[in-house]
Amino acid sequence: SRTTNLALGDRNFHIFYQLLSGADIHFLKSLKLQRNVEHYNLLFTEDDQPTQADEEDKNLFVYTRTALEVLGFCVEDVINIFRVIAVILKLGNLQFVPCNNIDGTEGCAIKNDYELYEICELLGVEHKWLQRALTCRHIEGGVLADLNASDASRTRDVLCKTLYSRLFTWLVNKINDITKAKHFGKRKVLGVLDFYGFEILEKNGFEQLMINYCNEKLQQFITASTLKDEQEEIIKEGLEWTRIEFFNNNQICQLLENDKHGLLTLLNEPHVQCDAVYWTRIEQCCTGHSHCLTTDTNLPPFCFQIRHYAGAVTYNIQGFVDKNRNFLPKEISRAMYHCDHPIMPALFPEGNPKRCSVKRPLPTATQLHIALIALLKSLNSRQAHYIRCLKPNEMKQPRIFEMALIQHQVRYLGLIPTVQIWRAGYCYRLPFAQFLCRYKMLCAHTWPRWRGSAVEGVSLLVRSLPIPSAEFTFGRTKLFVRSPRTVFELEDFRKMRLHDLALLIQKHWRGYRQHTKYQRMRNSQTVIASAWRSWRAREEYRILKHRKQTEWAARVIQRHYIQWKRRHFLLRLPLMLPEDVNSPICMEWPLCHSKLSETNVLLRKIHHKWRCHKYRLKFDQTARNRMREKVTASFIFKDRKSSYPRSVSHPFLGDYVRLRQNVQWKKMCLETNDQYVVFADIINKIARSSGKFVPILLVVSTHSMLILDQRTLQVKYRVPATEIYRLSLSPFLDDVAVVHVKASSVGNADTCSTTSDATGCLFQSDMSKKKGDFVFQTGHVIEVVTKLFLVVQNAVGKAPEVNITTEFEANFGSQTVTFTFKCMGLPEVQPGQIRVIRKGNKMEVLV
């Protein structure tokens, strides 16, 4: 609240005075500012007294700007920061005058429009947006209502405080990100916490209550860590101890933050909408509390008194409710977010229309309570050291020491019990294992490695030290050291011992270095001896070399002759090739010498691959797809299916019924995402109960397999490609195939939701009934299975299983049927020449 409300004798934040005093005239002109402090209302106290800039503010501005540049802020970022500071100063100068609207309601207008125009120019926002955000508000139903002059002034102050607070938080986070060190492994952090001083003013309001609440919580934590936990740890370790009493402020903290009747909890109750209702709740819930006084006749009206650990403070509840729910209207957040100023979107993220939330922000007291809990939780996991600061006088003057004030601070800070614990207690403690690990080099029995228990090792170590044993006390899990001098002596002994160990390491290193030098000299002598032996061996080698050269010459002549014969064969080979040698079906090839038979075979294979490649280059995309299907069919059926050879010479046409040109199909396929038809033909579906043939229209698309009525084109079943996991056939000449579908993958077109994914919808007359696998017979069985194989492979990313055997199982909904194929000796299979007989759970196919 310091941004908009200055107490008597107080100054606003230093950056305002530094900017006005230290910036050059051109920079101030670019920020629409004047150097005189008296031109800005935010720099006046509550009694309209102007505050003054110090002589050091001019130099401090240079230091501040240089510090930002040293931290890594570019010139543009620094200018943007000072533009926000200038906007805050100029917002404080906006004045609102009341006016009457046409409908009789009270509104307001901005008296000094030129200030608003300059603010909009600094922010990069349209004048009408910011003016409407400051003078109007949205109520329920999207109605725009005018604010009166008082409410508009309150909104202006909230915007000033929010801008400064969020700019400060953004700057701290930015500096933390810039100065964050890259760490590897476990790291140690040193943090400094400078918390609020206790405030007792002539007029204490909501801000003083929040500050004193923070002091109460921190005093509670410090008391627990320095007085309570210290004594409890000594007692827990089984040491003799006389408990030292101290003041505990738990009751004061409960008075403020109790979940049911705390002063801050009452402030957040839904029905507390004004200060009078809040005062009534305080009288109802806090009257009679030992640390809260509400009904004393000496108290001013609407005031209550809290006996804090630092003294009694009287608070006036005027403005408590408004300051607690001091939230920024959404209209202002949206206007700030849409500014062209680069920092504004980061300061007002809630103004983003995509992130707009109907939830109101948490009250100020709740935000402070949450932040305090997080701070105390972080402090509890750290090792804290405390520096107590005492104020020597109330006049903030040097060389004046008020004894009564110092005594009062010593008492309420609990320094006397703390000193008593330090004198009677122990200044240093460590668990046995850690103490042994740190100081084990001081004893010959524990260095370099102690294999016994940690307590025995510490006992041996302590007895070997030239320190009186009275300085050490053994607890259950820790060793306690009484005086700081003993700790310093231990560290001195450890430092000296580390020095001796360093000398030992140096000694061994010098010995290692000399030994290495000797090894090098010895190796040099070995090298010299080896060189002489090598010279003698080279003489013997020279004699043998001449002998072998003659043998080598003979081998070279022989090799060149063989290479000449090979070259002669290769040059004559093109002349001996037949005329139709470039045809892939040509099987003729010239003969050669037996010594070149292996080369001849390789050349024939390479030539065959080359002419096949040249032949494939002539294919268009359709021919390539058909060739891919033919090759896939070869991989699946070659030497496995008897009817495969007769399908090799027949091309795979795919759409045998010209379904792609059908208008009804074009409309219907858009709903199921089956536009591209891979196969379509009238086939015979084998009835599961009787084995009779039922003609149907089978359609295979790139996403699914569909079974349609051949006359009406009504979809009876649709099986996504991802649900087909196996295809089964017999090795005979029959044209029967079974498509295996996952057990729970069939659904009906009538019951399937029209909003579901078309590629994942299956059809059946009853959702609870499982249709099972499909059995069909067609003269294009090789083509159907091949294309289903490719479609499923593309959809799933894995090839389905193709089972070619005389006996396999199929799932017929609620039962499993075994298919058995028996060859009756017919020369070839024609429609009607196979019989399908159903016998219980077996189905025989007689071929």
Side-chain angles (χ1 to χ4, degrees):
S1 62
R2 179 190 292 269
T3 310
T4 56
N5 297 315
L6 291 179
L8 183 63
D10 202 357
R11 282 205 332 164
N12 213 317
F13 292 106
H14 300 310
I15 189 62
F16 296 129
Y17 305 97
Q18 293 176 11
L19 176 61
L20 297 176
S21 301
D24 58 78
I25 191 65
H26 299 290
F27 188 51
L28 287 177
K29 188 175 181 180
S30 67
L31 298 179
K32 315 297 182 184
L33 296 177
Q34 301 180 24
R35 195 173 298 279
N36 193 349
V37 176
E38 296 181 0
H39 284 133
Y40 302 100
N41 296 335
L42 293 183
L43 306 183
F44 281 75
T45 59
E46 292 181 347
D47 54 352
D48 292 334
Q49 294 296 324
T51 55
Q52 300 298 325
D54 295 335
E55 295 181 358
E56 295 184 1
D57 289 332
K58 184 175 182 179
N59 297 329
L60 289 176
F61 174 77
V62 179
Y63 295 155
T64 302
R65 188 165 185 171
T66 305
L68 291 173
E69 294 174 354
V70 169
L71 284 171
F73 288 87
C74 62
V75 177
E76 185 179 354
D77 288 341
V78 176
I79 294 176
N80 289 331
I81 291 171
F82 286 118
R83 280 171 61 192
V84 178
I85 299 297
V87 167
I88 296 173
L89 286 171
K90 298 187 75 63
L91 276 173
N93 286 349
L94 290 181
Q95 297 178 6
F96 300 92
V97 293
C99 62
N100 293 324
N101 297 323
I102 298 176
D103 56 356
T105 59
E106 183 179 355
C108 67
I110 299 177
K111 181 179 180 181
N112 44 354
D113 271 346
Y114 61 90
E115 294 279 8
L116 185 62
Y117 279 105
E118 292 179 349
I119 292 171
C120 293
E121 186 177 349
L122 289 172
L123 291 176
V125 66
E126 291 188 14
H127 171 265
K128 61 180 181 180
W129 285 7
L130 189 57
Q131 181 181 16
R132 184 169 56 189
L134 290 172
T135 60
C136 302
R137 60 169 178 158
H138 285 278
I139 59 178
E140 295 181 0
V143 179
L144 192 66
D146 291 341
L147 297 175
N148 55 36
S150 176
D151 292 339
S153 300
R154 192 179 300 111
T155 302
R156 174 204 61 201
D157 293 344
V158 171
L159 179 57
C160 291
K161 291 185 284 187
T162 304
L163 267 175
Y164 190 88
S165 173
R166 295 189 181 185
L167 177 64
F168 182 81
T169 304
W170 176 86
L171 190 61
V172 170
N173 293 334
K174 191 83 172 177
I175 293 173
N176 288 337
D177 292 338
I178 293 173
T179 58
K180 183 187 296 182
K182 295 182 179 179
H183 63 280
F184 301 93
K186 188 176 181 181
R187 63 172 181 168
K188 294 183 179 180
V189 178
L190 174 64
V192 179
L193 173 64
D194 181 14
F195 52 85
Y196 310 102
F198 201 87
E199 284 197 0
I200 305 177
L201 306 178
E202 293 182 3
K203 182 179 179 181
N204 301 287
F206 180 76
E207 295 82 2
Q208 284 68 42
L209 180 62
M210 294 296 101
I211 293 174
N212 295 339
Y213 167 59
C214 293
N215 280 273
E216 288 287 354
K217 291 294 291 183
L218 290 168
Q219 178 67 18
Q220 183 186 33
F221 175 79
I222 294 171
T223 301
S225 60
T226 59
L227 299 175
K228 180 182 177 182
D229 295 347
E230 184 85 10
Q231 298 187 73
E232 288 179 355
E233 183 181 13
I234 294 175
I235 297 172
K236 181 181 178 181
E237 290 291 326
L239 306 181
E240 294 184 2
W241 182 256
T242 302
R243 184 174 291 276
I244 297 175
E245 300 298 331
F246 58 89
F247 174 72
N248 195 330
N249 65 337
N250 286 338
Q251 292 185 357
I252 304 175
C253 293
Q254 286 298 315
L255 170 66
L256 293 169
E257 65 181 8
N258 187 276
D259 293 339
K260 295 182 178 180
H261 304 299
L263 291 175
L264 302 183
T265 306
L266 297 177
L267 197 58
N268 295 330
E269 288 183 350
H271 60 275
V272 177
Q273 299 295 328
C274 61
D275 295 334
V277 178
Y278 180 55
W279 174 248
T280 304
R281 292 293 294 152
I282 291 177
E283 289 181 333
Q284 293 173 352
C285 301
C286 300
T287 301
H289 195 281
S290 58
H291 291 274
C292 182
L293 193 63
T294 59
T295 57
D296 196 318
T297 55
N298 296 326
L299 291 176
F302 296 102
C303 293
F304 64 93
Q305 187 180 82
I306 298 179
R307 295 190 180 94
H308 290 282
Y309 74 95
V313 182
T314 302
Y315 298 97
N316 190 320
I317 68 167
Q318 182 180 0
F320 263 49
V321 176
D322 290 337
K323 293 177 181 179
N324 182 52
R325 42 179 207 195
N326 197 12
F327 66 93
L328 196 65
K330 294 180 181 179
E331 295 79 13
I332 295 184
S333 297
R334 294 192 184 113
M336 293 292 107
Y337 181 82
H338 288 93
C339 292
D340 291 337
H341 194 287
I343 300 180
M344 285 300 136
L347 299 186
F348 296 91
E350 72 276 8
N352 188 350
K354 297 180 180 179
R355 296 179 52 187
C356 187
S357 175
V358 296
K359 292 181 63 177
R360 300 185 69 176
L362 294 175
T364 304
T366 304
Q367 293 181 21
L368 182 64
H369 177 70
I370 294 173
L372 262 179
I373 296 301
L375 173 64
L376 296 179
K377 184 178 180 181
S378 177
L379 289 176
N380 197 36
S381 62
R382 304 290 190 271
Q383 183 178 0
H385 302 272
Y386 303 100
I387 300 175
R388 310 299 184 117
C389 300
L390 302 180
K391 184 165 61 174
N393 59 77
E394 294 287 0
M395 297 173 288
K396 302 179 182 179
Q397 297 295 325
R399 302 183 182 277
I400 299 177
F401 192 84
E402 297 180 2
M403 182 60 67
L405 178 62
I406 295 297
Q407 289 178 349
H408 176 66
Q409 295 177 80
V410 168
R411 278 195 301 271
Y412 76 68
L413 288 175
L415 294 183
I416 295 177
T418 303
V419 172
Q420 290 176 348
I421 290 178
W422 287 347
R423 285 183 176 179
Y426 305 90
C427 70
Y428 186 72
R429 70 213 61 188
L430 269 182
F432 294 130
Q434 295 182 18
F435 187 87
L436 183 63
C437 180
R438 182 168 183 82
Y439 300 107
K440 63 181 179 180
M441 72 286 296
L442 301 181
C443 178
H445 299 289
T446 58
W447 178 259
R449 188 178 294 105
W450 174 252
R451 301 188 182 278
S453 64
V455 180
E456 296 175 356
V458 172
S459 178
L460 280 174
L461 176 60
V462 170
R463 287 200 298 269
S464 66
L465 294 174
I467 298 176
S469 59
E471 290 292 321
F472 302 99
T473 303
F474 285 80
R476 291 189 175 93
T477 61
K478 295 181 180 180
L479 179 71
F480 292 79
V481 183
R482 186 171 295 277
S483 63
R485 180 180 298 176
T486 303
V487 179
F488 297 148
E489 291 179 357
L490 282 172
E491 290 298 323
D492 290 339
F493 292 154
R494 182 174 182 270
K495 184 177 181 181
M496 294 171 59
R497 179 57 178 160
L498 290 177
H499 178 72
D500 295 339
L501 292 175
L503 292 178
L504 181 63
I505 293 172
Q506 291 177 3
K507 180 183 70 174
H508 282 279
W509 162 249
R510 294 189 183 100
Y512 165 76
R513 187 172 59 182
Q514 294 299 323
H515 178 73
T516 304
K517 182 179 178 181
Y518 164 74
Q519 290 291 340
R520 286 200 303 267
M521 294 174 65
R522 183 177 179 181
N523 293 336
S524 300
Q525 185 273 336
T526 304
V527 169
I528 294 172
S530 175
W532 182 83
R533 294 188 189 96
S534 298
W535 174 81
R536 187 176 63 181
R538 279 196 300 271
E539 287 297 315
E540 297 177 357
Y541 169 75
R542 185 175 58 83
I543 298 171
L544 294 174
K545 182 179 179 181
H546 179 71
R547 186 186 306 167
K548 291 185 178 181
Q549 280 180 345
T550 57
E551 299 175 0
W552 170 79
R555 288 195 299 269
V556 168
I557 294 171
Q558 183 183 10
R559 183 170 66 251
H560 279 79
Y561 175 75
I562 295 173
Q563 289 179 353
W564 176 81
K565 293 293 288 181
R566 291 173 179 170
R567 184 170 179 271
H568 181 66
F569 168 73
L570 293 175
L571 291 175
R572 291 183 60 222
L573 181 61
L575 303 177
M576 295 186 294
L577 294 175
E579 294 181 358
D580 58 343
V581 69
N582 291 332
S583 175
I585 61 175
C586 179
M587 304 302 293
E588 298 180 9
W589 190 258
L591 300 177
C592 68
H593 193 272
S594 59
K595 294 291 185 181
L596 301 174
S597 60
E598 184 178 356
T599 303
N600 192 36
V601 172
L602 291 175
L603 287 173
R604 185 175 182 178
K605 290 181 179 179
I606 292 172
H607 181 267
H608 180 68
K609 289 183 179 179
W610 172 79
R611 66 187 180 184
C612 290
H613 173 70
K614 296 291 287 185
Y615 180 77
R616 288 195 301 269
L617 290 178
K618 301 176 183 178
F619 290 174
D620 57 4
Q621 186 62 40
T622 304
R624 290 178 186 174
N625 293 339
R626 289 180 179 176
M627 179 58 71
R628 178 171 176 257
E629 293 171 355
K630 283 292 184 179
V631 172
T632 304
S634 176
F635 289 151
I636 298 174
F637 298 107
K638 188 176 181 180
D639 299 330
R640 299 179 68 191
K641 181 73 172 172
S642 300
S643 60
Y644 169 69
R646 69 183 183 185
S647 69
V648 173
S649 60
H650 297 284
F652 291 166
L653 299 181
D655 188 0
Y656 291 92
V657 294
R658 301 184 67 184
L659 184 64
R660 298 190 185 100
Q661 287 76 28
N662 191 292
V663 177
Q664 181 180 352
W665 167 256
K666 289 181 179 179
K667 295 179 179 179
M668 185 173 58
C669 66
L670 295 176
E671 301 177 358
T672 58
N673 196 19
D674 295 312
Q675 294 91 336
Y676 187 77
V677 175
V678 178
F679 178 86
D681 192 14
I682 305 296
I683 68 169
N684 291 322
K685 179 177 176 291
I686 299 177
R688 306 179 184 204
S689 59
S690 62
K692 294 182 179 180
F693 293 165
V694 180
I696 60 168
L697 175 58
L698 175 67
V699 179
V700 178
S701 70
T702 55
H703 295 90
S704 62
M705 180 185 76
L706 297 93
I707 296 176
L708 290 75
D709 187 273
Q710 59 179 336
R711 294 184 181 85
T712 63
L713 293 185
Q714 180 181 359
V715 178
K716 293 185 176 181
Y717 305 104
R718 182 179 183 274
V719 182
T722 56
E723 301 298 331
I724 299 174
Y725 67 95
R726 186 187 302 155
L727 303 168
S728 296
L729 303 92
S730 76
F732 302 133
L733 291 172
D734 62 287
D735 294 331
V736 177
V738 178
V739 180
H740 297 273
V741 183
K742 293 180 182 179
S744 59
S745 63
V746 182
N748 192 341
D750 297 331
T751 59
C752 183
S753 174
T754 58
T755 60
S756 62
D757 185 6
T759 61
C761 180
L762 302 173
F763 308 112
Q764 188 192 1
S765 59
D766 187 2
M767 283 297 290
S768 62
K769 180 180 179 182
K770 299 177 181 178
K771 192 66 180 176
D773 302 335
F774 292 90
V775 185
F776 58 85
Q777 181 268 339
T778 175
H780 306 291
V781 67
I782 301 296
E783 180 179 356
V784 172
V785 173
T786 301
K787 293 190 174 183
L788 274 176
F789 179 88
L790 292 174
V791 167
V792 174
Q793 185 180 28
N794 292 335
V796 181
K798 183 177 70 173
E801 179 185 355
V802 179
N803 182 22
I804 301 178
T805 181
T806 57
E807 185 175 334
F808 52 83
E809 292 182 351
N811 179 24
F812 282 0
S814 60
Q815 59 181 335
T816 301
V817 177
T818 302
F819 272 79
T820 304
F821 290 80
K822 296 181 181 180
C823 184
M824 304 302 293
L826 295 176
E828 60 181 4
V829 177
Q830 297 294 335
Q833 287 186 328
I834 66 170
R835 293 180 57 194
V836 181
I837 303 174
R838 175 72 181 270
K839 296 179 180 180
N841 288 337
K842 291 185 178 181
M843 185 169 281
E844 294 182 355
V845 181
L846 305 179
V847 182

